[in-house]
Amino acid sequence: LGGDSMEITKQECHEALSNCGLTVKNTKPFNIVIQDGADDLNNAVKIVNKRLARYKETVRDESSDYTAIFAIAPQPVLIGMGLQLGDDGTINVFQRNREGAGWSWNDKAKPNRFEFDDTELSTSDAEDAVLILSISGEINEKSIPTILNDSSIPRLRLRASRQGLTSISREDDWFAFKEQAALASFKIHESCPNVKRVHVFPAMPTSANIAFGMAWNTRLIPGLVVYEKTNGKFYEAIRFGDKNGIY
C-alpha cells in the first residue's frame, strides 16, 4: 500500500502451496497493489473490493479450484477483504512465516488455542458492543476511546493462549481462530439481538484479520466499526455495513 515495497515472490507462493500439497493452475498471480489514495483506508477498501470483483469476473470460475491468498496490508483493509471474500471453503489464506523466510505454514509449531470470553455478556437492549481481539498481543483497554466505556455497552474479548508474532503459525491455528470469530458474532447476537454495530479493536497477524472478516456473520450483525492504534491510542479507521460504511 502507498508505494511501500513489500514483494511477495512467485517462488514463495509456489513453495507455500507445495508444502500444503497444492499445485498452481494459474501461474500468473492476480495482484492487488494500491498506490494512489492508499492513505485513505476507506478508499483502499473500495479499491480492494473492486479488484476482487474483477478477479471473480476474469479469473475465478465456477469450478472447485482453490484460491490462495498472500496479503500484507493494514488490519482494517484485511478485515474488509475478508468480508468481501466471505466464508468460502475454496480459499486458502497464508501467513508470512515470522520464524524464517517464506509463507509456508509451520506444522511443527506448537498448536495454539483461542477463546472467546463472553463472561461479561448479558442480555441487554444495547445497539453497540465492543470486541477486543488480543491475538498478537494483549490490548491495553485504557487505549480504547472513553466514549465506549459506558457500562451499558457489552465488552467482549477473544484471546490467544499464546500471544505474539507467531500466535498463528499453523494452518490449524488459522481455522481455530476463524471458528472462534464466527462464534463471537453468534453469541453476541444471541444475547443482545438489538446490537447493530460491533466496535472491533484488533491486535492480530495478517491472516487472522482476513479470517475474522470471512467468519463474521453480517446477517446477524451488519455493522463493524474497526479501529487502528496510533501513538498508543485507538482511533476509528473504517466502518462496514451501516449507512455510513461500505461492504
Side-chain angles (χ1 to χ4, degrees):
L1 290 176
D4 290 341
S5 178
M6 181 60 72
E7 184 181 7
I8 304 171
T9 69
K10 188 182 294 186
Q11 181 180 351
E12 289 174 328
C13 295
H14 281 245
E15 288 177 354
L17 289 163
S18 177
N19 289 335
C20 286
L22 300 172
T23 56
V24 180
K25 175 183 177 182
N26 179 9
T27 58
K28 184 178 180 181
F30 190 91
N31 289 318
I32 300 176
V33 180
I34 303 172
Q35 293 180 338
D36 296 333
D39 293 337
D40 180 348
L41 292 185
N42 280 275
N43 187 54
V45 170
K46 289 177 181 177
I47 294 172
V48 168
N49 286 353
K50 287 180 180 178
R51 296 193 179 175
L52 282 175
R54 180 66 174 164
Y55 164 74
K56 293 174 183 177
E57 292 171 1
T58 59
V59 180
R60 183 75 171 153
D61 56 28
E62 299 299 324
S63 72
S64 59
D65 292 335
Y66 285 85
T67 297
I69 294 180
F70 301 81
I72 298 174
Q75 292 186 98
V77 175
L78 294 172
I79 289 175
M81 186 177 190
L83 287 166
Q84 177 76 355
L85 291 168
D87 193 8
D88 188 335
T90 65
I91 290 175
N92 288 70
V93 178
F94 288 84
Q95 169 72 44
R96 192 180 187 196
N97 192 328
R98 293 286 186 168
E99 295 178 320
W103 287 73
S104 295
W105 291 111
N106 182 7
D107 291 332
K108 295 181 180 179
K110 182 180 178 181
N112 207 350
R113 292 187 301 106
F114 306 90
E115 184 176 359
F116 174 59
D117 180 5
D118 61 352
T119 55
E120 294 185 24
L121 187 59
S122 58
T123 302
S124 76
D125 295 328
E127 294 187 355
D128 291 82
V130 168
L131 179 57
I132 299 167
L133 300 164
S134 297
I135 309 302
S136 57
E138 189 67 25
I139 289 178
N140 182 348
E141 298 191 21
K142 292 182 180 179
S143 62
I144 293 174
T146 55
I147 195 172
L148 295 173
N149 288 335
D150 191 318
S151 60
S152 67
I153 299 176
R155 181 169 290 198
L156 302 316
R157 300 161 183 85
L158 201 167
R159 287 191 177 93
S161 295
R162 185 185 72 250
Q163 297 175 344
L165 294 176
T166 60
S167 56
I168 295 184
S169 295
R170 302 165 56 98
E171 189 175 24
D172 287 346
D173 294 339
W174 187 83
F175 281 111
F177 170 78
K178 185 166 170 278
E179 182 179 359
Q180 290 299 307
L183 177 66
S185 63
F186 173 77
K187 286 285 190 180
I188 294 171
H189 175 73
E190 182 182 47
S191 295
C192 305
N194 291 326
V195 167
K196 299 177 181 177
R197 290 170 300 275
V198 172
H199 299 258
V200 180
F201 295 87
M204 301 193 288
T206 55
S207 66
N209 286 278
I210 298 174
F212 179 82
M214 292 176 69
W216 192 257
N217 193 327
T218 57
R219 294 186 300 276
L220 298 180
I221 304 176
L224 286 178
V225 185
V226 182
Y227 291 73
E228 194 166 45
K229 198 171 187 179
T230 305
N231 297 325
K233 294 287 185 181
F234 277 101
Y235 298 90
E236 181 179 322
I238 192 168
R239 288 183 175 237
F240 298 100
D242 66 12
K243 64 180 180 180
N244 297 315
I246 57 174
Y247 268 143

